[in-house]
Amino acid sequence: MTTQAEGMTQADENSWMLELISGVRGVRHVVVLTSDGLMKVRTDQTPLDVADKVSAACAGLAALGIGMSREFGTSDTIRQIVVEFDGGFLFVRGAGDGSRLAVVTESNIDPALVAQQMQAQVLMIGERTLGTDAREN
């Protein structure tokens, strides 16, 4: 069983995996979370409490998206979730093995650039740690 202290150490040690997306201008927080909403990796500039909040919220959004996809789509697969709010955006996409990559940005960003960098980041994460599953999401 992983303790919270171990999870914090793991997040800090693996934050290098998120450099590609965290370096985009306007990106505030980057988190990789499990399908059930537990934070796996966070950037150094994302405090643990923020990473936990983002992870839990994204798990809920993903569950809602999966339900919508089952009802109105052709499968239970979601590719991306984008939420625009006053002051920024939240982007969520699959990152392999059931994980999700979540990015919180400021409002003055290029959404297409963020989405492109997220795809590249997911491919890099998959090559380095998650295997080929990341390429399928």
Side-chain angles (χ1 to χ4, degrees):
M1 181 171 183
T2 303
T3 66
Q4 187 172 0
E6 289 170 346
M8 288 174 52
T9 303
Q10 181 183 9
D12 294 338
E13 289 175 1
N14 292 323
S15 65
W16 60 268
M17 291 192 306
L18 305 176
E19 289 175 357
L20 185 62
I21 188 65
S22 66
V24 174
R25 189 175 59 100
V27 168
R28 294 169 48 194
H29 304 292
V30 183
V31 177
V32 176
L33 58 131
T34 64
S35 60
D36 57 354
L38 297 176
M39 187 272 303
K40 289 173 72 172
V41 182
R42 63 187 163 93
T43 55
D44 292 336
Q45 69 264 26
T46 302
L48 180 59
D49 63 327
V50 171
D52 286 339
K53 288 177 190 174
V54 169
S55 296
C58 290
L61 286 171
L64 178 63
I66 289 168
M68 294 297 292
S69 182
R70 284 182 185 144
E71 182 69 26
F72 301 107
T74 58
S75 73
D76 62 356
T77 302
I78 55 171
R79 291 189 184 91
Q80 181 171 281
I81 299 167
V82 179
V83 178
E84 182 178 6
F85 48 87
D86 286 343
F89 293 87
L90 167 66
F91 298 87
V92 185
R93 66 164 295 122
D97 77 352
S99 297
R100 304 211 181 274
L101 174 64
V103 177
V104 178
T105 72
E106 298 171 354
S107 58
N108 60 342
I109 53 100
D110 177 357
L113 175 61
V114 172
Q116 178 184 3
Q117 291 300 96
M118 286 179 72
Q119 174 64 21
Q121 187 71 73
V122 165
L123 291 173
M124 286 180 62
I125 290 170
E127 289 172 2
R128 292 180 181 173
T129 62
L130 300 176
T132 59
D133 289 343
R135 294 184 197 129
E136 297 172 6
N137 288 326

